[in-house]
Amino acid sequence: MPGRCEVATPPAEAHGRKGSGYALTRGVVALFAVACGAAVANVYFSQPLLVTMGHDLGMSPALVGSVVTLTQVGYGLGLFFLVPLGDMVDRRRLVVVQLLCLVVALGVVAGAPTTAVLLVGMAATGLLAVVTQTLVAFAASLADPAGRGRVVGLVTSGVVVGILLARTVSGLLADLAGWRSVYVASASLTALLALVLHRVLPRRAEAPATQLRYGQLLRSTIALFARERLLRLRALFGLLVFAAFSTLWSSVALPLSEAPYFLSHSAIGALGLIGVAGALAASVAGRLNDRGLSRRTTGIALTLLAVSWLPLAFTRSSLWALVVGVVLLDLAVQAVHVTNQTLIYALHPDAGSRLIGGYMVFYSAGSAIGALAATFLYAVAGWGAVSALGAAFSCAGLALWAVTGRDDSSA
């Protein structure tokens, strides 16, 4: 791949566009990060609560599993059908409306009297939680191009923290006040964030980035993949690293709940706190991207991702090995993810929402593949097979990086 694709400055930014004159302060960036983490957490809250939900509503074991599936399906649909809207309407208004609709969906889940109502509410929650990616594109559009990697890194850290802490928070709240309290609390926080973002975020000062109609907008998302090799490459990186990420996090509770550990749900959920350390440390990846070191950052991160599976393979015999592996894996995944989003947004800033939404479809696909494969392999072959799967995804990403050529300008 031609190296200059990763660091070239788009014509639209050649004159030093700085977020359309809006002052993107540290406080506003932190607000973006919090809002992203709070929104995406709704996709993962249900995972520790499935048994309790099933007992409360009289759901069969097979139907209980559909709670997670429908939430993920809703999220995937939202990535393609809702996130691109950020290129054609005022992003501030879009964010606020999506958050308010998310409040309604969370209220439906919290008060669901039947299984059918619960499943509808969960699908709607997943669909609307994609406001996370609208916020990422919004933050990138407001950032000074020279510091965009840092901003995307900080905001994306909020996303990863939200994913990792969702299970911990939902488990603790459910123990204190029941599973419905999780969604009541989330609805309250989401409503507060909608109010704050409505007051803080800027209105669109210029014409929409595109005059395309909605159908044309969706078709143009596909056209971007056909035209931009860098986008296709970075989407593949995203699929592979999140397949590895999901391989760990969708199955690690299984060995920890068995001999010799027999850890409680709360203790297993607390493992997310360890992952946060790695996720936050990886925010330095954004600064490295701003210095033109995107290819080197990707290579180092993918190497760490592959190496992380060495200690993770010893999870059954050492919790310390698990801790080391979790930190390395989350740091590596975060670094690649931040690099991917920074690079693809810079291709066409006027199509930022479509680029990030389309890229995230691959992220979701990788997450689903990793989860399905890991749980199946654990059932038939144990933790060693799961570790081999995660290492295979990681090594595939490293091999893809190695064969795409050297970027001399970013080395």
Side-chain angles (χ1 to χ4, degrees):
M1 188 182 89
R4 60 179 178 277
C5 291
E6 289 197 349
V7 295
T9 301
E13 296 184 332
H15 301 294
R17 184 171 65 89
K18 298 188 178 184
S20 301
Y22 179 74
L24 192 61
T25 64
R26 290 184 179 180
V28 174
V29 173
L31 177 61
F32 270 109
V34 170
C36 284
V40 78
N42 291 297
V43 179
Y44 300 92
F45 279 145
S46 65
Q47 292 183 358
L49 311 176
L50 294 178
V51 174
T52 305
M53 286 179 170
H55 288 161
D56 188 25
L57 297 175
M59 301 168 67
S60 67
L63 200 55
V64 167
S66 64
V67 170
V68 175
T69 301
L70 282 175
T71 308
Q72 293 287 352
V73 168
Y75 194 79
L77 292 173
L79 289 172
F80 186 77
F81 290 104
L82 293 183
V83 175
L85 288 171
D87 291 334
M88 66 180 296
V89 301
D90 178 40
R91 284 192 177 121
R92 170 178 168 273
R93 183 178 301 172
L94 179 63
V95 165
V96 172
V97 169
Q98 283 187 320
L99 286 173
L100 292 177
C101 290
L102 181 56
V103 170
V104 174
L106 291 168
V108 170
V109 172
T114 66
T115 298
V117 174
L118 174 70
L119 295 179
V120 170
M122 294 304 299
T125 296
L127 180 75
L128 294 162
V130 297
V131 67
T132 299
Q133 303 309 322
T134 303
L135 285 163
V136 172
F138 199 173
S141 71
L142 294 173
D144 183 336
R148 179 171 292 141
R150 179 186 64 84
V151 171
V152 171
L154 291 171
V155 174
T156 306
S157 291
V159 178
V160 178
V161 170
I163 292 172
L164 294 174
L165 294 187
R167 301 169 185 86
T168 305
V169 171
S170 63
L172 291 174
L173 284 177
D175 287 342
L176 291 173
W179 72 267
R180 295 178 189 272
S181 70
V182 176
Y183 294 94
V184 171
S186 183
S188 302
L189 176 60
T190 303
L192 176 62
L193 286 169
L195 175 62
V196 174
L197 290 168
H198 176 74
R199 295 177 63 88
V200 171
L201 297 182
R203 293 177 174 84
R204 189 191 292 273
E206 69 280 356
T210 179
Q211 299 299 319
L212 295 176
R213 295 181 179 179
Y214 182 63
Q216 295 173 320
L217 190 76
L218 297 182
R219 289 193 294 273
S220 72
T221 302
I222 299 173
L224 284 168
F225 273 92
R227 185 167 68 246
E228 296 293 349
R229 185 170 183 266
L230 176 60
L231 177 58
R232 297 194 299 272
L233 176 63
R234 287 289 158 175
L236 286 175
F237 281 138
L239 186 150
L240 291 169
V241 299
F242 278 102
F245 181 87
S246 185
T247 294
L248 173 67
W249 288 107
S250 65
S251 61
V252 71
L254 300 174
L256 294 181
S257 62
E258 300 171 351
Y261 301 118
F262 297 109
L263 297 182
S264 66
H265 290 299
S266 297
I268 294 172
L271 187 62
L273 296 173
I274 301 169
V276 168
L280 291 176
S283 63
V284 71
R287 293 182 173 86
L288 293 175
N289 280 285
D290 292 336
R291 294 170 54 191
L293 299 176
S294 56
R295 178 169 172 77
R296 180 179 294 181
T297 300
T298 302
I300 293 173
L302 289 170
T303 301
L304 289 177
L305 184 62
V307 169
S308 70
W309 287 100
L310 293 176
L312 287 172
F314 293 94
T315 291
R316 280 196 170 279
S317 58
S318 172
L319 285 178
W320 282 111
L322 173 63
V323 169
V324 172
V326 164
V327 172
L328 288 176
L329 181 139
D330 286 343
L331 186 153
V333 170
Q334 171 78 332
V336 176
H337 189 42
V338 169
T339 302
N340 289 346
Q341 291 189 102
T342 303
L343 291 173
I344 64 174
Y345 185 90
L347 287 172
H348 298 284
D350 57 336
S353 291
R354 281 166 284 169
L355 290 166
I356 288 179
Y359 162 77
M360 288 298 296
V361 170
F362 283 76
Y363 155 102
S364 293
S367 296
I369 292 169
L372 290 172
T375 51
F376 171 78
L377 276 180
Y378 187 83
V380 300
W383 182 252
V386 172
S387 299
L389 175 68
F393 285 132
S394 305
C395 290
L398 185 59
L400 179 63
W401 173 84
V403 301
T404 52
R406 179 180 175 83
D407 183 359
D408 292 326
S409 62
S410 66

